[in-house]
Amino acid sequence: MTQSDKMQAALLERVVPKLMEQGFAGEYPHFRRVFGDRIELLGFVQHQYGGAFNVEVSVIFPQRPKESNHTLQGFEPPEKATVFSARKRFRLNGMFNGW
């Protein structure tokens, strides 16, 4: 089992259940929490090399006009939204060069 596999297994075992308890839905690596006026998005993005990853978060507002929304053009249905659907994403600071 690689370091990346071990990290993913730990996330699935320890972090994902906590996200579900907090009202998030989805499957690793993309999760969303739907409210009446917004959808909160969280994603685990693996680094291309090694076992590093980062956590990106965003929020979109499906009812707002596209000009004032935080979504990309051609936004998919809310039930398919991922953190990559948003124009503005925030990354938690990592320990290794931002990861």
Side-chain angles (χ1 to χ4, degrees):
M1 182 180 268
T2 67
Q3 290 299 319
S4 181
D5 292 338
K6 290 178 185 177
M7 181 56 69
Q8 183 175 343
L11 286 170
L12 291 170
E13 179 184 328
R14 298 179 183 190
V15 177
V16 171
K18 300 282 186 195
L19 289 174
M20 298 300 182
E21 287 175 14
Q22 295 294 317
F24 282 88
E27 295 180 7
Y28 180 85
H30 302 291
F31 299 93
R32 71 196 60 78
R33 182 164 53 177
V34 179
F35 293 95
D37 63 337
R38 70 188 185 280
I39 301 172
E40 297 175 348
L41 304 166
L42 183 143
F44 297 97
V45 183
Q46 288 196 329
H47 192 271
Q48 185 174 0
Y49 305 103
F53 70 96
N54 67 24
V55 180
E56 292 194 6
V57 296
S58 190
V59 63
I60 55 175
F61 304 92
Q63 276 68 33
R64 290 189 186 174
K66 288 196 182 219
E67 304 82 45
S68 65
N69 204 339
H70 290 245
T71 61
L72 296 171
Q73 295 295 343
F75 173 64
E76 61 272 0
E79 62 274 3
K80 295 189 180 220
T82 70
V83 74
F84 299 114
S85 303
R87 274 188 272 172
K88 292 185 178 183
R89 298 192 309 258
F90 301 92
R91 181 179 291 173
L92 299 180
N93 290 331
M95 299 180 343
F96 305 103
N97 197 21
W99 289 83

